Amino acid sequence: GDSVTQMEGPVTLSEEAFLTINCTYTATGYPSLFWYVQYPGEGLQLLLKATKADDKGSNKGFEATYRKETTSFHLEKGSVQVSDSAVYFCALRLTLTQGGSEKLVFGKGTKLTVNP
Amino acid sequence: GAGVSQSPSNKVTEKGKDVELRCDPISGHTALYWYRQSLGQGLEFLIYFQGNSAPDKSGLPSDRFSAERTGGSVSTLTIQRTQQEDSAVYLCASSLRADSPLHFGNGTRLTVT
């Protein structure tokens, strides 16, 4: 079945360090790919997305590129801040088919802590 | 503007009791989702509504779980005869259309004692 695998956490970095959180997927068809973020005490919110191969999603200094050949969507940021401390979830959604499900399939989440 | 609202925010119940969890989606959002978030398990899909119908109920763990949506708006997730393994955070999300980004509520934390 469709699934998302992301790197185990927790990840602890110092401020201004480079961040990579790996995400790979297995899917039938051609999924859209997403990163959601959950800040402490808040609900999940969309961070960025990519809908087709070679698309790059970006937001708040974070980037991820849809790599069909490696079925990956790794999240990167060049210089993390304390305020980036959160849990990050990679997710996929299959292309709309008539009458089909539009659910997102999520990875297990990666907790990031950034220390000053 | 108003986001997705879930109530209650916390619920403690005794094993064997029934519980109802409520979700008020963003006005005008046609798609509604329920997920369950357990420690170390990520987000587990439960059910998806498009309007009032549920094309995908595949994630409901057992027949003790049911959900409905009325008027294309409010949804209720009901868990009958709760068990300790039902303890989790239940998240609701809505989206404008099926292919739009999801907006999540803050969840209901259910504890079964």
Side-chain angles (χ1 to χ4, degrees):
Chain A
D2 305 320
S3 65
V4 174
T5 302
Q6 59 182 105
M7 63 186 289
E8 298 275 335
V11 174
T12 302
L13 297 173
S14 297
E15 208 165 22
E16 299 183 2
F18 184 85
L19 169 71
T20 300
I21 301 178
N22 289 339
C23 171
T24 58
Y25 67 90
T26 301
T28 54
Y30 303 96
S32 296
L33 301 174
F34 305 82
W35 278 99
Y36 278 79
V37 59
Q38 187 174 31
Y39 297 104
E42 298 184 16
L44 275 87
Q45 54 188 275
L46 177 66
L47 179 60
L48 54 84
K49 69 175 183 179
T51 57
K52 62 183 188 297
D54 299 325
D55 269 3
K56 178 185 284 187
S58 61
N59 186 26
K60 300 183 179 180
F62 290 89
E63 292 183 341
T65 301
Y66 189 140
R67 301 288 188 198
K68 186 178 176 183
E69 63 275 15
T70 54
T71 62
S72 65
F73 193 55
H74 305 320
L75 182 68
E76 296 183 337
K77 187 174 185 181
S79 177
V80 293
Q81 305 300 311
V82 172
S83 57
D84 294 327
S85 298
V87 182
Y88 293 81
F89 294 89
C90 186
L92 68 82
R93 179 163 65 190
L94 292 176
T95 302
L96 176 67
T97 56
Q98 188 171 4
S101 176
E102 294 303 314
K103 68 186 180 188
L104 263 71
V105 176
F106 285 87
K108 291 189 176 182
T110 303
K111 183 176 181 179
L112 170 67
T113 300
V114 180
N115 295 319
Chain B
V4 176
S5 178
Q6 293 187 245
S7 59
S9 55
N10 280 285
K11 177 71 177 178
V12 180
T13 190
E14 292 181 351
K15 177 182 173 181
K17 300 285 190 183
D18 298 352
V19 294
E20 283 190 353
L21 311 180
R22 177 186 169 104
C23 173
D24 283 272
I26 294 173
S27 178
H29 281 197
T30 63
L32 186 146
Y33 308 76
W34 283 98
Y35 284 84
R36 180 166 69 175
Q37 186 175 20
S38 305
L39 192 62
Q41 295 300 313
L43 275 75
E44 176 187 5
F45 168 78
L46 298 178
I47 187 168
Y48 156 66
F49 287 93
Q50 180 60 43
N52 291 336
S53 63
D56 190 348
K57 308 178 182 179
S58 64
L60 295 177
S62 73
D63 59 7
R64 296 186 295 106
F65 287 73
S66 63
E68 65 175 11
R69 188 179 185 195
T70 56
S73 182
V74 172
S75 176
T76 303
L77 177 68
T78 301
I79 309 173
Q80 296 178 309
R81 305 181 301 282
T82 52
Q83 304 294 312
Q84 287 186 331
E85 60 263 28
D86 299 335
S87 296
V89 176
Y90 289 82
L91 295 172
C92 177
S94 69
S95 63
L96 184 62
R97 299 181 306 270
D99 60 346
S100 302
L102 269 62
H103 297 260
F104 281 84
N106 286 344
T108 294
R109 181 176 297 279
L110 175 66
T111 303
V112 182
T113 61

